[in-house]
Every structure is written in C-alpha cells, then in structure tokens.
Amino acid sequence: TKRVPVTSASLLKGTPVVGITKGLRQVLIERGLIDPDTRLAKEELAARLAACEDFYNEKSLVHVLVEGRGHKCLFYPKFHCELNPIERVWCHMKKYIRAHCTYNIVGLRQNWRIGLDTVTPELWKKFFRKSLDYVQGYAAAHKLSCLLV
C-alpha cells in the first residue's frame, strides 16, 4: 500500500492512511461503517467502533508487552483514584511535605526525597489493603465475582 500524506481532503475522500494515527472517523470510513460525508460526534464514532467485535477484543500494546512477560495487565477505571494505592502514597508524601515546608525549591526537593522514604513497606501494605477493600466493595455492589478475593 502506498503512503498517502494525511490532509483533510484525503480523509474526506476515504483514502486509506497507512503507518500513522488515523482517528476514529477514518477507521470507520475505511471499514465502510460511515460515509465520508457523515458528521457525527466523537461519542457516536466511539460507540460505533466499540460495537465491532474485532476492535473491542483487540489488546493494547501495553497489554501485549506486559502479558508477554508473564504478568497480568489490569487498568483501573478512570476517575476512581481510591482504587489505586499510589494515590495514597502521594497523599502521604504531600502531607509530609506540607508539614516540613521551607517555602523554597531546594527544601521542596529535599523533603520530597525524605517524604518518599517515609513510605515504609508496612504503609505500602496498608495502602494496598485499603484500595483492595474499595475494589471488593465495588465488586460486591455490582456483582463482579471475578474481582472478589
């Protein structure tokens, strides 16, 4: 396939674009799911693409790389920081830095390092346990037995 420079004209004509990011609209045009003249909101474009089984089941590069090394790749839902233990670490560090504020950048950099050292293995366990409690609470409320431990 010949590489075609992406211009608004080439996108409107439905010309296949190879080797560069296309966008939702172009993918739908190439699949024949919308006409090049069709104008839809981003949400509608995403919904139409999500309805394609092959696209829905496609794993991201992150998934492929992580699972290729024998690990599980799980993403937290957007806007649910209570499920992520690292957010509790940042909260702990910010509390330490505020308590030891020197009101200059040198002090901030020193206190950041010291604050990170205050996050002990015991605190990490506590933060993970608390986040897991939230995960299990959501799982129970939404009847997601696969997340219950």
Side-chain angles (χ1 to χ4, degrees):
T1 306
K2 174 177 119 174
R3 286 184 181 256
V4 177
V6 179
T7 63
S8 58
S10 68
L11 288 175
L12 288 175
K13 291 177 187 171
T15 306
V17 180
V18 179
I20 48 182
T21 304
K22 300 176 184 185
L24 290 170
R25 190 168 179 281
Q26 182 65 26
V27 171
L28 289 168
I29 290 169
E30 289 178 13
R31 288 172 167 244
L33 297 173
I34 63 169
D35 186 82
D37 298 325
T38 304
R39 296 279 178 232
L40 297 171
K42 183 179 177 182
E43 294 77 19
E44 176 61 25
L45 294 172
R48 288 192 182 194
L49 196 55
C52 299
E53 190 174 330
D54 65 319
F55 197 85
Y56 180 79
N57 293 325
E58 185 71 22
K59 290 187 178 184
S60 70
L61 179 59
V62 172
H63 271 105
V64 172
L65 293 174
V66 170
E67 291 175 352
R69 292 199 160 104
H71 303 285
K72 283 186 176 181
C73 184
L74 301 173
F75 289 100
Y76 293 109
K78 291 180 182 180
F79 312 114
H80 284 281
C81 57
E82 71 277 9
L83 303 179
N84 193 342
I86 196 68
E87 298 298 336
R88 297 181 191 286
V89 171
W90 300 141
C91 183
H92 177 82
M93 286 181 53
K94 287 190 292 186
K95 185 176 178 181
Y96 176 88
I97 290 169
R98 275 191 227 107
H100 297 87
C101 185
T102 60
Y103 299 97
N104 63 54
I105 193 68
V106 174
L108 176 63
R109 288 181 178 144
Q110 289 172 344
N111 285 329
W112 183 86
R113 289 184 186 103
I114 296 168
L116 188 56
D117 289 339
T118 66
V119 184
T120 63
E122 291 75 27
L123 270 177
W124 274 105
K125 288 178 187 174
K126 178 182 174 184
F127 296 152
F128 267 91
R129 192 169 37 253
K130 186 67 174 172
S131 293
L132 184 59
D133 289 345
Y134 275 97
V135 169
Q136 291 181 335
Y138 284 125
H142 297 286
K143 296 176 178 52
L144 302 171
S145 61
C146 60
L147 295 177
L148 295 172
V149 180

